[in-house]
Amino acid sequence: MACSIDHKRIQEIMSELPIDQGGIGRHKCAACAYEEGFRRGVNGEDDFNIHEIINDLEESQAQNQRHKSPHAAFAKGYYDGINEYYNTH
Ligand SMILES: [Zn+2]
């Protein structure tokens, strides 16, 4: 399945992510990875398996998330989510 979400809100963040050189998260939607990381960070979650999360993502060849690292995207999303968590607690 391919991701059909319009990740308009986070295109600037996507443009700054590294390219997935090694292909370990090949074709997975980096924007969905960012959103999933953010959701977990903002909820203060710290018990999860990144491999399983990225494996479960939809694929994407669209917009600025094309070929971007879903691992870096997840980490950036988690970081932003944790910051948001601190700002609201
Ligand atoms: Zn997506």
Side-chain angles (χ1 to χ4, degrees):
M1 282 287 288
C3 174
S4 59
I5 300 166
D6 182 6
H7 295 286
K8 199 179 301 169
R9 192 180 59 83
I10 55 171
Q11 285 303 296
E12 202 172 314
I13 295 168
M14 290 298 106
S15 69
E16 292 169 358
L17 289 174
I19 299 288
D20 181 25
Q21 300 279 9
I24 45 175
R26 205 171 170 79
H27 306 316
K28 293 296 188 178
C29 181
C32 283
Y34 176 88
E35 296 287 10
E36 185 63 16
F38 187 91
R39 187 186 70 74
R40 290 173 187 266
V42 82
N43 287 318
E45 290 183 30
D46 62 4
D47 185 11
F48 49 75
N49 183 319
I50 293 178
H51 177 80
E52 284 176 6
I53 290 167
I54 289 174
N55 235 0
D56 287 346
L57 293 173
E58 304 288 3
E59 303 201 333
S60 177
Q61 291 293 317
Q63 297 177 288
N64 288 341
Q65 57 269 30
R66 186 168 192 262
H67 293 165
K68 294 304 176 80
S69 164
H71 296 80
F74 182 88
K76 168 73 172 148
Y78 189 74
Y79 177 84
D80 289 349
I82 287 288
N83 275 324
E84 184 66 22
Y85 174 86
Y86 288 136
N87 286 339
T88 54
H89 285 78

